[in-house]
Amino acid sequence: MPKGLVHHVVVRKALLLFLLTLLAACGGGGGGGGTSPAQPAAPAPVNINIDDANVTEGDSGQVNLTFTVTLSAAAGADVSVDYATSSGTATQGTDFVATNGTANFTAGMTSQPVSVPVIGDSDDEGNETLSIALSNVTGDATIADGTGTGTIVDDDGSPLVGLNQRPSNTTCVAPPRPTAGASVAIENPYPASPGFSSITKILQAPGDGSRWFVVERVGRVRVFNVADPGNPATYLDISGQVRSGGEEGLLGMAFHPDFPATPEIYLSYIAGTSSTRHSRISRFILDNTNAPVNVTEQILLTVDQFQGNHNGGDIAFGPDNYLYIGLGDGGGGGDPQETGQNTTNLLGSMLRIDVLGVAFPMPAYMIPPDNPFAAGNPNKCGPTLVNGNNCPEIYAWGLRNPWRWSFDEPTGMLWLGDVGQGAWEEVDIIERGGNYGWDCREGAHPFEGNGCPPPAALIDPVSEYPHTNGNVSITGGYVYRGNAIPGLFGRYVFADYASGRIWALQDDGQGGYSNELLVNAPYTISAFALGEDGELYFADFSNQLIRRLIPAGPGNPDTIPDNLVDTGCVDTNDPTQPAAGLVPYTINAPFWSDAAVKPRWMALPDGSTIDIDASDDFVFPNGSVLVKNFELGGQLIETRLLMRHPDGVWAGYTYEWNDTVTAATRVRGGKTRMVNGQEWIYPSEGECMQCHTSAAGFSLGPEIAQLNGDLTYPSTGITANQLDTLDHIMMFTNPLPGPASSLPALADPTNAGASLADRARAYLHSNCAGCHRPNGPTPSTMDWLYTTALSATNACDVTPSGFDLDIGPNARLIAPGNAGNSVIPGRMDRRDVHGMPPLGSNLVDSAGVGLINGWIGSLSNCN
């Protein structure tokens, strides 16, 4: 046998022997036992996908529209796939270059770019599309998504937009507002009324329910007939002698008890100059009680005021026909002039004087003989603090700011709401000679111990409530004696100005009172009135309307879901993402929220649109929902929904995310939580609406100047102007008046490339003007709308009317060139009772404070 053949046979025998041995060892021979070796798992299939892409075409030349072809996993061996373009609304050869080829993936690769040349032109042709398709795979892979859509974004004539069409929204729609459980409802009895200006009081003449008199802070009394509420007339105008704004202005009015037979009205207002102020009580003699023309004023009483707040100002004739006058402590935080317990001046007191039939000019008024300090005290008190004796005009004292109070006619009891300092609001029943504790106490709680009488000498309130859940300022009301709401009969009804809550006290039969929440109203309530029909009305300060309490119907149940995923406003598969029908938006100058990052979306019911009012604010249709996430350090911690319910009323709801960010649960009544060492505030429903007021358009952020900026739209990847985009997809009722480039835009306060003044005013607009604007919910007269000239903001070189942060006589709200003497940045830089914002924040915005300080330092004047 040849040597090579012998070698070949030997090798084959050896190999065969090895295989037989291996098979036996594995139990593979015969039917004997043994274990089969584990088979390796089949590799996961590799899928091939191509994404969508977009590019702006340009006016000439070519740009590349780049798609990305991806493998779901790195292939173990080479893979390739062919591609080819085809026309859509874009035409091959005219709009783009026909492209085909092969994408090759060597072992370990997962993505490859594919570029299609786009031909630029100057034709106004709108956005156009083309397709690219994958085919003919070689290697171990399968096409999963083999078609990509390319968008050629037109930049000729029509603006670049981020969305081509408006998404359908059938899930994120505000349900009926929860009202079940409310003891009363609220109606607008005069829907034809055009609205008024800064209503401080409403009232009807004795025995005449045919007309309403509306007292306006600026110094006007207006009147309308209930049969024709759409045509109010000016009844009296003393605006030329009234110092108006904030807590100053025309504050009180009373009819002569025998009106109209005796044609007299009495007014309480703040008069003075730029550097002086005093409360003035005057009699006005009318030549005609229907429409007076010639009016004579007789000034009865003048009391100097220290500052522009805590003026009280209400007046009314009691059942004894004496005129009662409520005065605050003269202003400033914590009663700095110590007037509350000082009965040798008229401040911080309820006064009682006799004015009916008293000769003028002297003595103008008489002292009722049973006033606490009348006996043996013939000298009336002067307007200042300098008086030698206790003032005989005083009926009761120890009051901080008796804003609104009233007599209950059947009992003669005087019910008063005294506005608190920083913690408590109180209801008092005023008795002759009573000391109600301020500033030794705030409510029934110790406040200041110096020079205070024994506790037994102080009268506690009959009810009080704390500054929680948006409550900050009591508005005294009336004891209800009407017929429409039987369950309310004989109970004292009052409200909180800021939160809109309306309560009623119930005598518990044991010398005390229980307090029932009647309704949580979305209004700022500045005054109540008892109509001649016996029913209760109130002044809605923000909307400048009169509203009425009526019996509650069965009400709407609370259908706001407990779980965010059930609201229809988030993706049910991933609730951290919005539902498909929401449109994202952002704002140029964000509100400070303790360093949180806040993505935002808007949801409108299908077929509805956004109006734009005269102030360029967005007016959302009923059913709309605004969605906002809050993220700290990249962690999603809260989602807020601001809903405009089908009845047109806005309300806020908040949801807390769990630690694993898998679910969010509704928070009722507010709470706080530590997040990464930071105390985070989840606002209550009332606190939400304390900021989202009608004066600010409720939605706050969405307005022309805030949305006039770019946003990268996640669904398309296109970066485009938000106004142009919303206009393009027909979200507005009427087209915009021009391209976004022609409309106002707020600066980004963090953009160092913008001017310092623009950045500062944008910051103040976003962070302050929600409240500090005309008809805003604060007593301040400041106006920080970015459209208001600095000289007209009522802040520049203006002495603060309240706490001056102990700066002293040089303190100004804004002191041009001197941030150290400026109260506004000082209040921004603290988080106590004097801090700004007053709620919802635990951390100072140091960058914001620095911005405002730098801007103030750059000012040389107020022009």
Side-chain angles (χ1 to χ4, degrees):
M1 185 178 293
K3 182 179 180 181
L5 180 59
V6 170
H7 176 76
H8 179 70
V9 170
V10 171
V11 171
R12 288 189 64 186
K13 286 183 177 180
L15 178 60
L16 178 60
L17 179 61
F18 171 76
L19 292 173
L20 290 172
T21 303
L22 180 62
L23 182 61
C26 294
T35 304
S36 299
Q39 299 298 313
V46 175
N47 293 326
I48 305 178
N49 302 279
I50 186 168
D51 66 356
D52 297 330
N54 66 81
V55 70
T56 302
E57 65 175 4
D59 293 335
S60 62
Q62 294 182 355
V63 293
N64 283 331
L65 173 62
T66 302
F67 298 87
T68 302
V69 182
T70 59
L71 303 185
S72 60
D78 292 352
V79 171
S80 65
V81 63
D82 294 339
Y83 58 85
T85 58
S86 60
S87 296
T89 57
T91 304
Q92 292 188 152
T94 301
D95 298 307
F96 67 98
V97 176
T99 304
N100 57 71
T102 302
N104 296 305
F105 297 82
T106 58
M109 293 182 64
T110 57
S111 67
Q112 282 280 33
V114 173
S115 295
V116 178
V118 170
I119 303 169
D121 61 43
S122 57
D123 297 331
D124 183 4
E125 53 199 352
N127 294 349
E128 298 173 303
T129 60
L130 60 91
S131 294
I132 186 167
L134 304 180
S135 62
N136 302 328
V137 179
T138 61
D140 190 14
T142 302
I143 295 175
D145 179 3
T147 303
T149 299
T151 301
I152 302 174
V153 180
D154 182 44
D155 58 356
D156 304 304
S158 300
L160 172 68
V161 295
L163 298 172
N164 286 317
Q165 61 183 9
R166 173 177 169 175
S168 175
N169 171 41
T170 59
T171 62
C172 188
V173 178
R177 180 169 58 96
T179 57
S183 301
V184 300
I186 297 168
E187 70 171 4
N188 178 0
Y190 310 112
S193 171
F196 297 90
S197 173
S198 301
I199 304 174
T200 54
K201 191 169 184 176
I202 56 175
L203 66 168
Q204 291 187 316
D208 181 7
S210 67
R211 295 191 296 175
W212 276 102
F213 293 81
V214 180
V215 180
E216 296 180 331
R217 179 175 60 186
V218 71
R220 286 190 302 265
V221 178
R222 303 186 72 195
V223 64
F224 69 87
N225 194 301
V226 297
D228 186 21
N231 292 291
T234 297
Y235 190 79
L236 191 65
D237 187 346
I238 61 167
S239 56
Q241 61 205 68
V242 172
R243 181 179 172 127
S244 172
E247 295 181 35
E248 298 181 308
L250 179 54
L251 306 177
M253 174 177 169
F255 290 98
H256 189 287
D258 195 30
F259 187 90
T262 301
E264 295 176 2
I265 63 173
Y266 293 76
L267 298 180
S268 169
Y269 63 94
I270 304 299
T273 66
S274 60
S275 59
T276 65
R277 50 173 58 92
H278 48 266
S279 293
R280 180 179 290 173
I281 311 300
S282 289
R283 175 194 291 123
F284 289 82
I285 302 173
L286 314 177
D287 64 336
N288 186 308
T289 58
N290 289 321
V293 177
N294 296 312
V295 177
T296 301
E297 178 181 12
Q298 298 176 344
I299 299 173
L300 307 178
L301 178 67
T302 296
V303 182
D304 288 349
Q305 293 282 357
F306 295 104
Q307 300 193 45
N309 57 350
H310 310 177
N311 299 306
D314 209 359
I315 57 174
F317 282 95
D320 52 13
N321 280 340
Y322 292 135
L323 183 64
Y324 289 72
I325 302 161
L327 293 178
D329 65 9
D335 192 12
Q337 306 297 330
E338 299 294 338
T339 63
Q341 292 297 312
N342 183 358
T343 53
T344 65
N345 69 78
L346 298 174
L347 295 174
S349 302
M350 178 65 67
L351 312 182
R352 181 174 72 157
I353 60 177
D354 184 2
V355 298
L356 299 186
V358 178
F360 185 87
M362 292 296 293
Y365 64 88
M366 301 291 288
I367 302 297
D370 62 342
N371 273 7
F373 305 118
N377 188 4
N379 297 320
K380 300 173 184 176
C381 273
T384 68
L385 284 176
V386 184
N387 295 287
N389 301 304
N390 292 323
C391 295
E393 294 90 343
I394 291 177
Y395 182 77
W397 64 97
L399 301 172
R400 181 178 180 275
N401 190 24
W403 168 243
R404 289 291 172 252
W405 44 268
S406 66
F407 288 96
D408 176 31
E409 185 174 349
T411 65
M413 293 172 64
L414 174 52
W415 291 80
L416 181 145
D418 195 16
V419 180
Q421 173 69 37
W424 295 93
E425 303 296 304
E426 66 182 270
V427 176
D428 298 301
I429 296 176
I430 301 299
E431 300 175 0
R432 179 169 55 90
N435 181 349
Y436 291 86
W438 178 251
D439 63 349
C440 298
R441 294 182 183 176
E442 181 184 9
H445 308 270
F447 184 82
E448 181 180 294
N450 296 331
C452 290
L458 305 179
I459 301 176
D460 282 339
V462 296
S463 184
E464 62 180 1
Y465 64 88
H467 283 199
T468 57
N469 206 11
N471 302 315
V472 296
S473 179
I474 190 171
T475 297
Y478 285 82
V479 175
Y480 179 73
R481 300 290 179 182
N483 298 315
I485 315 173
L488 208 57
F489 189 85
R491 301 172 65 184
Y492 178 69
V493 179
F494 63 100
D496 188 87
Y497 169 81
S499 73
R501 287 180 176 83
I502 301 177
W503 295 275
L505 297 186
Q506 177 72 57
D507 191 333
D508 63 10
Q510 301 178 9
Y513 292 85
S514 60
N515 191 11
E516 177 193 358
L517 176 64
L518 300 179
V519 65
N520 194 349
Y523 310 116
T524 47
I525 301 173
S526 57
F528 281 91
L530 196 62
E532 287 298 306
D533 58 1
E535 302 305 319
L536 270 176
Y537 298 76
F538 67 82
D540 172 4
F541 188 85
S542 290
N543 293 290
Q544 305 304 327
L545 296 172
I546 295 176
R547 301 189 188 272
R548 175 169 59 196
L549 300 186
I550 59 174
N556 300 316
D558 188 346
T559 60
I560 309 301
D562 287 331
N563 297 314
L564 180 64
V565 73
D566 297 324
T567 63
C569 296
V570 295
D571 186 336
T572 54
N573 295 317
D574 181 2
T576 66
Q577 299 300 310
L582 275 63
V583 176
Y585 73 96
T586 188
I587 60 176
N588 291 333
F591 182 84
W592 168 253
S593 296
D594 284 6
V597 175
K598 297 175 289 186
R600 302 167 173 86
W601 298 267
M602 62 179 71
L604 276 64
D606 284 350
S608 63
T609 52
I610 300 168
D611 291 329
I612 299 176
D613 67 15
S615 299
D616 285 346
D617 280 337
F618 288 13
V619 181
F620 288 90
N622 295 352
S624 296
V625 182
L626 300 181
V627 181
K628 181 161 54 178
N629 283 348
F630 292 77
E631 302 170 0
L632 279 181
Q635 178 184 352
L636 179 57
I637 59 172
E638 181 182 0
T639 296
R640 294 180 193 171
L641 306 182
L642 184 66
M643 297 184 175
R644 188 173 192 185
H645 292 288
D647 61 358
V649 175
W650 286 89
Y653 309 94
T654 189
Y655 291 80
E656 176 188 8
W657 285 90
N658 60 17
D659 290 336
T660 57
V661 196
T662 57
T665 305
R666 183 176 165 192
V667 175
R668 287 178 166 85
K671 66 175 291 186
T672 59
R673 167 189 168 193
M674 294 302 295
V675 179
N676 298 327
Q678 175 178 334
E679 187 178 49
W680 181 257
I681 300 171
Y682 296 86
S684 68
E685 296 85 347
E687 287 171 328
C688 285
M689 302 319 296
Q690 189 172 333
C691 291
H692 290 275
T693 66
S694 61
F698 291 109
S699 59
L700 294 184
E703 58 178 308
I704 289 290
Q706 283 280 33
L707 270 73
N708 193 359
D710 285 348
L711 172 68
T712 299
Y713 288 83
S715 63
T716 64
I718 298 174
T719 300
N721 183 275
Q722 298 180 92
L723 296 181
D724 287 335
T725 298
L726 295 175
D727 195 33
H728 176 75
I729 61 175
M730 295 184 289
M731 293 279 279
F732 297 127
T733 305
N734 298 302
L736 291 173
S741 58
S742 68
L743 301 176
L746 282 177
D748 177 354
T750 65
N751 178 14
S755 77
L756 181 59
D758 286 348
R759 293 165 57 205
R761 290 303 303 270
Y763 184 93
L764 293 167
H765 176 88
S766 184
N767 288 275
C768 305
C771 293
H772 294 290
R773 62 169 64 204
N775 297 324
T778 72
S780 166
T781 62
M782 286 188 292
D783 177 6
W784 281 120
L785 292 170
Y786 79 98
T787 52
T788 302
L790 178 59
S791 59
T793 59
N794 298 318
C796 189
D797 205 25
V798 172
T799 302
S801 61
F803 184 44
D804 66 3
L805 306 187
D806 297 324
I807 293 172
N810 293 323
R812 299 292 185 270
L813 294 175
I814 296 290
N818 191 334
N821 283 348
S822 299
V823 170
I824 287 176
R827 297 191 67 178
M828 291 169 55
D829 200 21
R830 59 198 299 158
R831 285 296 179 268
D832 56 14
V833 68
H834 299 296
M836 282 291 162
L839 76 162
S841 174
N842 283 321
L843 298 181
V844 169
D845 181 6
S846 298
V849 174
L851 171 64
I852 301 306
N853 278 335
W855 169 64
I856 293 173
S858 73
L859 297 174
S860 58
N861 52 53
C862 295
N863 297 321

